[in-house]
Amino acid sequence: MKILRVVNKGRKTRYRLGVEFPPNKTVELTVGNREYLTVKAVRDFEVEIIEKDDKSGSKDRHESAETAENSLDVQSMTIDEVLEAVKEGKISVDDALSQEKAGKNRSRLIDKLEALKEA
């Protein structure tokens, strides 16, 4: 696992790995090797490795793979299905928002999720 400091030098907000990268703002996140390459590949990103943890890398990758399998794929669901999953606690509002913004970016769903978040 690596801790990265990422600065978006572009003019547009970018979304990678479910994280929002606003223009000219610094964002810190923890990623594995594969996710690091996904972030590093963006032309407008200035990526700096803050901390590198090689000792437990394989164990962490295994755990992240399990959580990725257990999380719901918001992109394959309808708006009503996503809202129902959030109400039942199968997925958090923040996770649903980040997946939606990184994927289909349906404004109606984003508005409803933000209303749930505020309530």
Side-chain angles (χ1 to χ4, degrees), residues 13-21 38 45 72-76 93-107 109-110 113-114:
T13 299
R14 305 278 185 191
Y15 296 93
R16 293 292 183 274
L17 306 173
V19 179
E20 179 178 354
F21 295 93
T38 301
F45 284 3
L72 296 175
D73 181 22
V74 172
Q75 306 311 308
S76 66
V93 176
D94 293 327
D95 289 341
L97 269 172
S98 65
Q99 283 188 34
E100 185 59 31
K101 287 180 179 179
K104 289 183 178 178
N105 206 15
R106 297 174 278 194
S107 61
L109 177 57
I110 291 172
L113 288 172
E114 287 176 349

Side-chain angles (χ1 to χ4, degrees), residues 47-107:
V47 180
E48 176 186 352
I49 299 174
I50 298 172
E51 185 178 321
K52 189 174 182 180
D53 182 18
D54 290 330
K55 296 176 186 173
S56 63
S58 60
K59 179 182 175 189
D60 290 337
R61 268 187 254 123
H62 178 67
E63 289 173 3
S64 66
E66 286 178 7
T67 57
E69 290 174 7
N70 294 336
S71 68
L72 296 175
D73 181 22
V74 172
Q75 306 311 308
S76 66
M77 300 168 70
T78 65
I79 292 173
D80 293 331
E81 289 173 339
V82 173
L83 294 173
E84 187 66 29
V86 169
K87 289 177 184 174
E88 291 176 358
K90 293 179 181 177
I91 187 171
S92 72
V93 176
D94 293 327
D95 289 341
L97 269 172
S98 65
Q99 283 188 34
E100 185 59 31
K101 287 180 179 179
K104 289 183 178 178
N105 206 15
R106 297 174 278 194
S107 61

